[in-house]
């Protein structure tokens, strides 16, 4: 935990220094929601996701090594079959990781308009009410939320597929060893 908080602090300091070095044009052309999303999302990922990811990685490696040792001690002939299955699994998971990273990028891109829209509504609420444009802003907000939810749904679907596929391969390897 101390290591991740140190990384989080360093990332935050680097982000703040980079923002202070930007010219005023950057702030005029970049929506405030995108700036806030980039700053808060990275720190949140470091604080919450990295410790769990390391734990899952360590657990997965131990399960694979344990399965390999168990199978290799019980049936030496299956070692080439297991290596072949793991190589194919590696290629498929590499493709999965590329797709998953793209969905994460799309999720961040789809979150920025929502934050920008909320800030615009907050700053100009009186103007929107006086010109009866609240329903327009509400429709823009709902459209952006629907887009973000669609991206999140597909990201969760891909993540569940990856988890299911990995468990299926491990069960297949253990099933082959038992048979």
């Amino acid at each position: 935990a101390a290591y991740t908080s140190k990384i989080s602090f360093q990332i935050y300091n680097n982000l703040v220094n980079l923002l202070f070095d930007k010219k005023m044009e950057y702030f005029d052309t970049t929506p405030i929601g995108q700036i806030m999303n980039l700053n808060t999302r990275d720190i949140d990922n470091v604080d919450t996701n990295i410790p769990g990811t390391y734990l899952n990685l360590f657990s997965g490696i131990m399960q694979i090594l344990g399965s390999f040792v168990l199978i290799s001690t019980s049936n030496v002939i299956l070692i080439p079959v297991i290596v072949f299955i793991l190589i194919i699994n590696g290629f498929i998971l590499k493709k999965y990781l590329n797709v998953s990273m793209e969905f994460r990028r799309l999720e961040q891109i789809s979150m920025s308009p929502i934050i920008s829209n909320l800030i615009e509504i907050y700053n100009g609420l009186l103007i929107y009410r006086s010109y009866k444009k609240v329903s327009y802003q509400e429709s823009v907000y709902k459209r952006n939320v629907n887009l973000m939810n669609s991206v999140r749904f597909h990201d969760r679907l891909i993540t569940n597929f990856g988890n299911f596929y990995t468990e299926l391969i491990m069960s297949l390897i253990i099933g082959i060893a038992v048979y």
Side-chain angles (χ1 to χ4, degrees), residues 3-142:
Y3 185 69
T4 57
S5 64
K6 184 177 179 181
I7 291 173
S8 177
F9 183 74
Q10 288 175 349
I11 287 176
Y12 181 73
N13 280 339
N14 291 341
L15 285 172
V16 169
N17 289 335
L18 285 173
L19 281 175
F20 283 149
D21 291 341
K22 295 287 184 189
K23 294 182 179 180
M24 204 59 178
E25 295 173 16
Y26 176 76
F27 296 102
D28 290 338
T29 57
T30 307
I32 190 74
Q34 187 174 0
I35 295 170
M36 289 184 65
N37 187 25
L38 290 174
N39 290 331
T40 57
R41 186 71 173 191
D42 290 340
I43 293 171
D44 181 53
N45 280 339
V46 170
D47 288 343
T48 59
N49 294 343
I50 287 182
T53 303
Y54 280 142
L55 182 65
N56 288 340
L57 175 69
F58 183 72
S59 173
I61 289 173
M62 287 296 125
Q63 286 177 354
I64 289 172
L65 287 176
S67 299
F68 190 72
V69 167
L70 177 69
I71 292 169
S72 64
T73 56
S74 66
N75 197 348
V76 180
I77 296 173
L78 288 177
I79 292 176
V81 174
I82 293 171
V83 170
F84 177 73
I85 289 174
L86 288 176
I87 289 172
I88 290 175
N89 189 28
F91 284 121
I92 292 173
L93 286 179
K94 183 179 177 187
K95 187 70 171 174
Y96 156 75
L97 286 176
N98 290 337
V99 171
S100 180
M101 284 190 307
E102 189 66 22
F103 273 122
R104 302 285 163 114
R105 186 185 69 79
L106 286 173
E107 184 177 352
Q108 276 198 331
I109 289 172
S110 66
M111 181 66 105
S112 296
I114 293 172
I115 295 172
S116 294
N117 189 264
L118 286 173
I119 291 172
E120 286 176 18
I121 289 173
Y122 177 73
N123 289 335
L125 188 60
L126 291 175
I127 295 170
Y128 291 130
R129 285 184 180 163
S130 63
Y131 287 104
K132 296 185 178 24
K133 293 290 184 177
V134 174
S135 61
Y136 170 73
Q137 285 297 328
E138 185 179 338
S139 67
V140 169
Y141 176 76
K142 285 182 180 179

